[in-house]
Amino acid sequence: MLMALLLDAANIIGGLLLAIPLLGRFPVVARLTARIAPWRWLVGIVALVAGGYFLIVHLISGPHLFHFEVVGIAVGVILTWERLTGRRPLAPATPVPASTGSGPGSGSPDRAASPGPAATSSPADLAGPALLVAVFGIIAILVGLQGLFTPN
């Protein structure tokens, strides 16, 4: 029971950390992920251990392999990638700020004419592996939430 809760929590928290490029544009999520981002490697270890435990249990005693543990292991590997390999992380650890709305096309003509900071990255700028990891993070959040409501 505790291991299942750890796996679900690791999937949800790890999914939040992986989805920072997409969900970090919301201030509440950005504040939350900024507080837990330094601990991403620990969340990854918990996801690896809990996912590995259930992988072994379900392969040996059945009934079959579930997607909860596969997603948990993948979340763990992605979150601990930098510590395991010494290379740069697959997903950024800090939220990408949303655009300030002061550029052309912001909707208000008086603000468009005023000088201000340049608009930062938009969701359209997110591409490649970072987008893939961010979408997988959202999938991990959904799998973790599903695991909370699925009987063992």
Side-chain angles (χ1 to χ4, degrees), residues 57-66:
V57 166
H58 290 143
L59 285 178
I60 292 175
S61 65
H64 56 79
L65 186 64
F66 290 101

Side-chain angles (χ1 to χ4, degrees), residues 49-142:
V49 169
Y53 169 78
F54 280 112
L55 178 75
I56 293 168
V57 166
H58 290 143
L59 285 178
I60 292 175
S61 65
H64 56 79
L65 186 64
F66 290 101
H67 62 285
F68 304 106
E69 53 256 18
V70 174
V71 169
I73 291 171
V75 164
V77 168
I78 293 171
L79 288 176
T80 58
W81 184 258
E82 185 178 14
R83 292 213 178 215
L84 291 174
T85 64
R87 298 185 197 141
R88 67 180 193 88
L90 294 173
T94 56
V96 178
S99 66
T100 59
S102 62
S106 65
S108 64
D110 56 342
R111 290 201 52 148
S114 66
T120 57
S121 66
S122 67
D125 294 340
L126 189 62
L131 178 63
L132 184 66
V133 169
V135 170
F136 179 73
I138 292 175
I139 292 169
I141 293 169
L142 295 175

